[in-house]
Amino acid sequence: MNLPESVGNRIRELRKAKGWTQEQLAEAASLHYSYIGGVERGDRNISLETLEKIIAAFDVPAIEFFRFEDETQRRKVLDEHMALLSSKSAEEIAALTRVTREVIAATGLDKREK
């Protein structure tokens, strides 16, 4: 798979994880929905400025955007988790992280990973 296809697939993954249509992503990034479709298919040559708008619309760190991995259930769930957290404040994310740690410890999941 070439880079435009990988970028397009990643945009599609993140868009679906947020539960957005192409139109909703286009509106959030101030782009036209048909352009989003072309980018997702790997048909359009996206500029860095436009990619920056799309990443900003998703409200994810650029480093997270460029984590190209095989489309697995794990990746989909992590993307959905990121989408849920993206609208939260730093304090809310910290609180949710503490709760997650407590749940992992209480269920013994932390011992299974070692």
Side-chain angles (χ1 to χ4, degrees):
M1 182 177 305
N2 62 32
L3 187 58
E5 289 173 346
S6 295
V7 168
N9 285 338
R10 186 70 175 128
I11 290 170
R12 183 181 301 110
E13 288 171 7
L14 291 170
R15 177 178 61 77
K16 287 184 176 185
K18 266 197 170 317
W20 284 355
T21 63
Q22 289 179 345
E23 291 83 4
Q24 289 169 312
L25 173 56
E27 184 177 325
S30 300
L31 299 168
H32 194 272
Y33 73 90
S34 64
Y35 182 81
I36 297 294
V39 169
E40 286 186 359
R41 289 188 304 276
D43 295 340
R44 302 293 304 251
N45 188 13
I46 189 169
S47 71
L48 291 176
E49 289 84 7
T50 302
L51 183 58
E52 185 176 39
K53 287 181 182 181
I54 291 171
I55 292 171
F58 286 132
D59 195 25
V60 298
I63 189 85
E64 180 61 30
F65 178 84
F66 286 104
R67 291 184 196 256
F68 299 128
E69 298 175 9
D70 291 335
E71 191 169 328
T72 63
Q73 184 61 28
R74 182 177 190 275
R75 179 84 246 162
K76 288 179 185 178
V77 172
L78 286 171
D79 286 345
E80 184 177 358
H81 208 73
M82 286 293 294
L84 289 170
L85 293 174
S86 68
S87 64
K88 305 299 179 208
S89 70
E91 294 81 19
E92 291 169 321
I93 293 170
L96 290 167
T97 300
R98 284 190 300 275
V99 169
T100 302
R101 284 189 183 119
E102 290 174 14
V103 169
I104 289 171
T107 59
L109 290 173
D110 55 341
K111 291 168 181 59
R112 284 189 251 172
E113 293 175 355
K114 293 178 182 177

